[in-house]
Amino acid sequence: MPDLLLELFSEEVPARMQRKAAEDLKKLVTDALVERGLVYEGAKAFATPRRLALTIAGLPVRGRDVREERKGPRVGAPEAAVQGFLKAAGLASLDQATIVSDPKKGDSYVAVIEKPGQETVAAIAEIVPAVIRSFPWPKSMRWGKASAESGSLRWVRPLHSILCTFGAETEDPEVVAFDVDGIKSSNITYGHRFHAPGPITVKRFEDYVASLERAKVVLDADRRKEIIATDAKNLAFAAGLELVEDEGLLEEVAGLVEWPVVLLGDFEERFLEIPGEAIRATIRANQKCFVLRDPNSGELANRFIPVSNLMASDGGLAITAGNGRVVRARLSDAAYFWQTDRGPLPDLDTLADSANKLDLNLLKPLDQRMAKLDRLGVVFHAKLGTQGERVQRIAALAKELAPIVGADPALAERAAKLAKADLPTEMVGEFPELQGLMGRKYAELQGENPSVAAAIEEHYKPLGPSDRVPTDSVSVAVALADKLDTLVGFWAIDEKPTGSKDPYALRRAALGVIRLVVENGVRLELREAVRKIVVNSRRKELYHISANFDVPYLRIGRSHEFIVVDSGDYSEGLLEFVSTQIAPEVDIHVFRIDDGKPPQSLTVPHADAAASRGFPMMADLLSFFHDRLKVMLRDQGARHDLVDAVLAGSPSPLAGEGGIASAMTDEGSRDASGEGGATPHPNPLPQGERGQVGGSDDLLLITRRVAALGRFLETEDGKSLLAGYKRAANILKAEEKKDGEGAFAAKADLQLIADAGLIEEKALAVALAQATPKAEAAVAAEDYEGAMTALAELRPAVDAFFDKVTVNDPDPALRANRLKLLNQLREATRAVADFSRIAG
Amino acid sequence: MPLAASSDPLNPTRSFQGLLLTLQRFWAERGCVILQPYDMEVGAGTFHPATTLRALGPRPWKAAYVQPSRRPKDGRYGENPNRLQHYYQFQVILKPSPPDLQQLYLDSLKAIGVDLALHDVRFVEDDWESPTLGAWGLGWECWCDGMEVSQFTYFQQVAGVECAPVAGELTYGLERLAMYVQGVENVYDLNFNGLEGEDRISYGDVFLQAEQEFSRHNFEHANTEVLFRHFSDAEAECKALLAAGEADTGSNDPSHKLALPAYDQCIKASHVFNLLDARGVISVTERQSYILRVRELAKACGAAWLKTAGGGAN
């Protein structure tokens, strides 16, 4: 069967786009072929800097004929119906129709229409130009004379030629003839820009690949990568060194060459005083070269590996020398940055205010940089103020979180104050990816406590599901503070992630909080942490927004305890959020800064009223955390449905139709009105007061409960109890429909059971009476395994009950009592989780 | 054209001026008008009206010129071997972009002594954008043995207007290229005139003092109060000229009469902004608004240019 070969030859395609473009080309062309009924045996796409290529093997010569039968009117139908049928079916007369007989309906006309399949060549000639015209490049351009007219062809860079052949192995393939904006398809390609620029005539894929290879083009990017990786490792090995592998760089470099030639260059040893990460960053980012390390010490070596696109006539000496010069110039810059960042800033006298505000020591270089960051008023986000303000918030929170994570509050505060200090350094300005790391180096050099220095680097972590989670308590405190401040801030201004858009990486931040808490075993109540952020920002005016001075501000609060909101950024949510955090006895004044008048359109929620509503974003933020937790568990292969079950269980006030959100709001308001936060270690509570206990904001507890529940459900006891629960719940559901919601909510009448019940009924009543308080007590003591064990004790009684007892007894009193018993079972499991939310 | 003998002081590998003259000759032979630098302070050759304005409108255009470019922030008091606050760009603009523009560029490298069998020349993605000019294009930085020696751009939009047809723009960093072909590590060591002994003039002889003095000026002494005023003045003057040059309503000549003088004021505002930026007196938030103000001027000038003969209006 014939094969298709397609090549789109252009000026240099950006490396980062090549792989996806090849895949897109394959998908678009094959989809369009299949849509026309042209199925194929196999397809593969390739990309080099100058070409996209596609081979599709095993296509038919032409599509299948299509035979269609169209039913017409019965024989003897009125003339108008017959004419309509002939017209619709495209027949000249009734002679061309056949007559079919049906015993019931009688004879009627049928038109048989046969459409011959389209020639594959013709289909390709239609498909390929359409694909080219609508190709999904991330960015495309116009060029040349044609660009004077609107609607001219767009491509990623100027497209020069199109090769398109189709034919069987045994014959000379034909050129599929078409024309895209003046570019005529042909069987011609071109080789390496410098080694073989002339035209090459091609038949099909096999000789195409071989011809290109002779013309110094390796078509397959993966093969180019392999060549580069192998040669680089060999060169390194020969020099007694080891390649620092870098998959991202390898992929990029393979997209920059058609014929990779790997070389080895060096630079002066004195540059090795620069931190290795900075050397690697500059050589990688600016020169796209690999670096090498000493396999014994692990330290970088003064060598680098450029990958050229040329078999130079001098063996690459000039190329290596040229690359070396640029590397040296770059390293000179880096050395200058490394030097400068450790010295004093020239404009120290202007930094005193900032230093005072942040309690910085201007004798130390990194402190100076932080003061400078504050003084420059670098904006973190227009609605969330400057980096300086943000650092103050983070420092205040880190200090308060410190005891919870077991850190020294003073160290946590100090680390937070220096955490962003490397942002205005020269090195980080040049290599943003070194943020944190450089801060740590500079902190070590100025003699900071090792935990402080480590926290400066580690507070950004974890950067994703596979990144390492810091364990040093100071790092944990600052990392949590940084992420929570970001999350609360963006929630307060209502810039939450939507769909695929998450420009501030808030999902990553929330996952980071979860992993920090869970992997370090930190008992953090998120609501309380959020309250702290809010209170701190009120007290210190940290949500002060300094925008243009001629914009009227809104002031909220009393005397100088106010929060300033740029009226342009004013949002109901922010105001409400703010007002809940002001004690109820304080009147809130809102006025414009320019004329002191209250804005016309503004209604200020009174503190009491607002407090009763709580921080409306709290519920939303918590459920965001819960969602992230589910995603994390799912990615780990755990059962994320158990998260919902646990959250809806009794000790967190989340059961019932109101769901998570309403319960959270209640919690929030309680906090806000100053009655104190959730009780950290809830005592067992009587039935009626369930729903008042915290827990849904303690991510560690949730994951522990989920884990315990998961293990329990793996056991025979667990499976059986779940089955029993489902059975009880189904019966109750059915009977509650007849008798009404809550008809069986009361406790079963033990006397009645004693008098008239079966032995299994009595056994269940006894088991429930024993297991329920045990389970609740165990949950209260955070002994989830214990709670599960207590519930497991119910299993024999439950099994036996369903085995022997007819729930719907003819005696209404017995029936109701048995249903009450089942309801007690349902409630008992709730101590651990809402079993109705468990899938399966 | 065969290369001059290597003893020729004007050989592009021997002197800075030889390099410059060779490029001028090369592009003159390919139909470009060879212009002289624009007589105003600009940050890049792109600001020359021969590029910014001529890139707009339907009329074909081929030009090449040297443009001294001022980047006040890049001053290093003459102490950095690679960075200058004043340097030369060689600028080529071809509208519409010819189909063999990449080859023409490679030929120009050959002409200045880059042996393409010996050196690794690469086109590496670099999309160009000038926020102040409201302009963007797609293209590459051109690498020679890992060093960026040129920018290669297909203009897609200038002054907020779609380019039709598209112009191709080449910008050669002359000092870098000269350092490369002369084999020099420090820009100040470049041989400027190609002579030896006491007749030799180096790049440092010509420019070192200027780099030192202008670095002082850019970072320490430029009077920011005056500069702020200059910015406002240039902005106001630009707007006034744009208004004054508009055709009267009902006039049978709808062309704009003052597009070029208005654009000069836009250039001025842009340079003053760069100086203020170097002095560190523009905060991060303000910075954005200044860039926006210059862009508004550039856009209005582009629109005015399209109403002139040069812009293809009649």
Side-chain angles (χ1 to χ4, degrees), chain A residues 140-355:
Chain A
S140 64
M141 56 164 279
R142 300 167 296 117
W143 67 93
K145 262 188 198 151
S147 61
E149 307 298 325
S150 64
S152 68
L153 178 63
R154 302 183 72 93
W155 200 245
V156 65
R157 293 294 184 276
L159 180 64
H160 281 280
S161 72
I162 301 168
L163 178 154
C164 190
T165 67
F166 181 75
E169 214 172 314
T170 49
E171 59 197 52
D172 263 3
E174 61 180 306
V175 171
V176 182
F178 55 84
D179 178 310
V180 184
D181 276 34
I183 306 169
K184 283 195 171 58
S185 58
S186 72
N187 55 355
I188 303 286
T189 185
Y190 303 86
H192 188 278
R193 185 187 280 289
F194 300 109
H195 289 305
I200 301 166
T201 306
V202 171
K203 286 183 178 174
R204 63 177 61 78
F205 183 65
E206 290 70 27
D207 66 291
Y208 168 73
V209 174
S211 302
L212 283 181
E213 197 92 16
R214 277 194 300 278
K216 302 292 174 276
V217 175
V218 178
L219 183 64
D220 187 347
D222 291 330
R223 244 201 83 214
R224 293 196 301 274
K225 280 171 76 170
E226 218 177 278
I227 293 169
I228 296 167
T230 308
D231 289 0
K233 278 179 204 161
N234 287 343
L235 277 177
F237 183 74
L241 298 168
E242 189 176 79
L243 179 71
V244 177
E245 293 192 37
D246 187 333
E247 174 59 28
L249 180 62
L250 184 59
E251 174 79 17
E252 185 180 7
V253 169
L256 289 172
V257 294
E258 293 204 303
W259 189 260
V261 177
V262 181
L263 302 165
L264 179 64
D266 60 11
F267 53 85
E268 286 74 9
E269 239 172 88
R270 66 184 164 90
F271 287 124
L272 292 176
E273 62 148 36
I274 306 166
E277 293 85 352
I279 293 178
R280 186 177 166 202
T282 181
I283 291 184
R284 176 191 206 279
N286 297 310
Q287 294 311 120
K288 317 226 184 285
C289 295
F290 295 88
V291 290
L292 305 177
R293 70 163 90 83
D294 182 330
N296 301 317
S297 67
E299 299 287 316
L300 278 197
N302 60 330
R303 299 290 184 91
F304 64 94
I305 294 213
V307 181
S308 82
N309 188 36
L310 195 80
M311 293 191 301
S313 50
D314 66 349
L317 289 177
I319 297 173
T320 306
N323 274 282
R325 285 172 53 180
V326 192
V327 164
R328 272 188 282 279
R330 295 286 188 183
L331 290 178
S332 298
D333 276 350
Y336 167 80
F337 299 150
W338 176 235
Q339 186 68 37
T340 310
D341 287 340
R342 288 178 290 164
L345 287 171
D347 40 5
L348 274 185
D349 50 325
T350 63
L351 301 178
D353 284 352
S354 292

Side-chain angles (χ1 to χ4, degrees), chain A residues 566-644:
Chain A
D566 182 329
S567 64
D569 299 332
Y570 163 73
S571 78
E572 194 78 36
L574 180 56
L575 183 59
E576 198 167 302
F577 168 67
V578 159
S579 57
T580 57
Q581 303 309 324
I582 295 168
E585 70 272 14
V586 178
D587 284 337
I588 299 175
H589 304 282
V590 176
F591 50 90
R592 295 160 65 109
I593 278 184
D594 53 348
D595 56 10
K597 288 179 186 157
Q600 294 298 316
S601 59
L602 188 68
T603 45
V604 185
H606 190 272
D608 285 336
S612 71
R613 282 200 296 278
F615 170 31
M617 279 78 85
M618 178 70 91
D620 198 51
L621 182 55
L622 273 185
S623 80
F624 182 71
F625 270 109
H626 294 150
D627 285 345
R628 289 298 101 201
L629 181 60
K630 280 183 231 173
V631 171
M632 183 183 91
L633 290 172
R634 189 187 62 208
D635 291 349
Q636 292 171 354
R639 292 183 54 178
H640 57 282
D641 58 316
L642 301 187
V643 176
D644 278 335

Side-chain angles (χ1 to χ4, degrees), chain A residues 10-17 50 139-149 154-158 160 193-194 252-253 256-257 285-288 307-316 318-326 328-330 332-333 336-337 375-379 426 430 546-548, chain B residues 58 76 79-83 96-103 106 115-129 136-141 143-148 152 154-157 161-167 176 178-186 280 282-286 289:
Chain A
S10 69
E11 298 178 12
E12 275 76 355
V13 180
R16 65 190 169 93
M17 299 178 188
R50 295 172 82 200
K139 260 188 196 171
S140 64
M141 56 164 279
R142 300 167 296 117
W143 67 93
K145 262 188 198 151
S147 61
E149 307 298 325
R154 302 183 72 93
W155 200 245
V156 65
R157 293 294 184 276
H160 281 280
R193 185 187 280 289
F194 300 109
E252 185 180 7
V253 169
L256 289 172
V257 294
N286 297 310
Q287 294 311 120
K288 317 226 184 285
V307 181
S308 82
N309 188 36
L310 195 80
M311 293 191 301
S313 50
D314 66 349
I319 297 173
T320 306
N323 274 282
R325 285 172 53 180
V326 192
R328 272 188 282 279
R330 295 286 188 183
S332 298
D333 276 350
Y336 167 80
F337 299 150
R375 193 187 103 75
L376 285 176
V378 176
V379 173
E426 302 274 346
E430 190 71 14
S546 53
N548 296 333
Chain B
R76 292 294 183 272
E79 287 164 11
N80 184 302
N82 297 299
R83 250 183 232 274
S97 64
D100 57 346
L101 186 53
Q102 278 188 313
Q103 193 54 50
L106 293 171
D115 181 350
L116 298 179
L118 213 54
H119 296 285
D120 183 33
V121 177
R122 225 91 68 73
F123 296 91
V124 180
E125 178 192 14
D126 186 30
D127 298 342
W128 171 81
E129 189 181 7
W136 70 275
L138 298 190
W140 310 274
E141 24 178 84
W143 284 20
C144 181
D145 299 340
M147 178 166 62
E148 183 195 344
F152 190 130
Y154 292 101
F155 281 155
Q156 301 295 300
Q157 198 184 76
V161 180
E162 289 289 307
C163 296
V166 162
R176 279 204 194 170
M179 285 166 73
Y180 202 76
V181 295
Q182 287 191 28
V184 160
E185 303 280 337
N186 187 327
I282 293 183
S283 79
V284 180
T285 20
E286 287 170 319
S289 91

Side-chain angles (χ1 to χ4, degrees), chain A residues 334-592:
Chain A
Y336 167 80
F337 299 150
W338 176 235
Q339 186 68 37
T340 310
D341 287 340
R342 288 178 290 164
L345 287 171
D347 40 5
L348 274 185
D349 50 325
T350 63
L351 301 178
D353 284 352
S354 292
N356 278 338
K357 192 162 60 177
L358 286 153
D359 192 20
L360 297 166
N361 178 357
L362 282 185
L363 295 175
K364 298 186 172 187
L366 198 55
D367 290 56
Q368 292 173 13
R369 269 66 186 182
M370 183 56 228
K372 186 179 174 191
L373 182 67
D374 181 64
R375 193 187 103 75
L376 285 176
V378 176
V379 173
F380 166 62
H381 180 284
K383 295 183 190 174
L384 295 175
T386 65
Q387 291 281 20
E389 289 159 345
R390 179 171 165 236
V391 165
Q392 278 183 275
R393 291 198 301 268
I394 296 171
L397 183 62
K399 186 179 172 187
E400 293 198 57
L401 292 179
I404 301 175
V405 303
D408 178 336
L411 290 183
E413 188 183 24
R414 173 76 179 152
K417 282 184 175 167
L418 294 179
K420 310 293 180 189
D422 63 356
L423 294 182
T425 62
E426 302 274 346
M427 199 69 108
V428 173
E430 190 71 14
F431 307 111
E433 69 269 31
L434 296 183
Q435 68 176 14
L437 178 89
M438 292 318 300
R440 177 189 195 147
K441 303 252 176 205
Y442 296 134
E444 283 166 354
L445 283 169
Q446 69 178 31
E448 296 296 329
N449 178 296
S451 285
V452 169
I456 293 171
E457 178 182 8
E458 294 181 337
H459 84 280
Y460 290 107
K461 290 178 175 291
L463 286 172
S466 52
D467 194 23
R468 189 177 64 82
V469 173
T471 52
D472 185 300
S473 57
V474 176
S475 298
V476 173
V478 183
L480 282 173
D482 183 32
K483 291 168 177 64
L484 286 170
D485 179 75
T486 302
L487 286 162
V488 171
F490 282 100
W491 248 258
I493 60 170
D494 201 22
E495 289 209 22
K496 298 173 278 192
T498 52
S500 59
K501 288 201 185 98
D502 185 9
Y504 305 106
L506 300 178
R507 290 192 179 101
R508 192 170 79 186
L511 175 65
V513 171
I514 295 171
R515 291 192 59 206
L516 280 161
V517 163
V518 170
E519 293 180 30
N520 285 299
V522 174
R523 296 292 307 276
L524 175 70
E525 280 147 5
L526 285 173
R527 268 185 284 262
E528 178 59 15
V530 169
R531 196 186 65 79
K532 281 179 176 144
I533 295 173
V534 173
V535 169
N536 288 338
S537 54
R538 172 178 67 105
R539 192 169 58 238
K540 293 180 181 165
E541 298 169 34
L542 294 187
Y543 275 109
H544 178 116
I545 286 105
S546 53
N548 296 333
F549 290 105
D550 50 2
V551 175
Y553 290 116
L554 301 175
R555 278 185 178 193
I556 307 162
R558 57 175 179 186
S559 59
H560 43 266
E561 265 201 6
F562 58 81
I563 296 179
V564 181
V565 185
D566 182 329
S567 64
D569 299 332
Y570 163 73
S571 78
E572 194 78 36
L574 180 56
L575 183 59
E576 198 167 302
F577 168 67
V578 159
S579 57
T580 57
Q581 303 309 324
I582 295 168
E585 70 272 14
V586 178
D587 284 337
I588 299 175
H589 304 282
V590 176
F591 50 90
R592 295 160 65 109

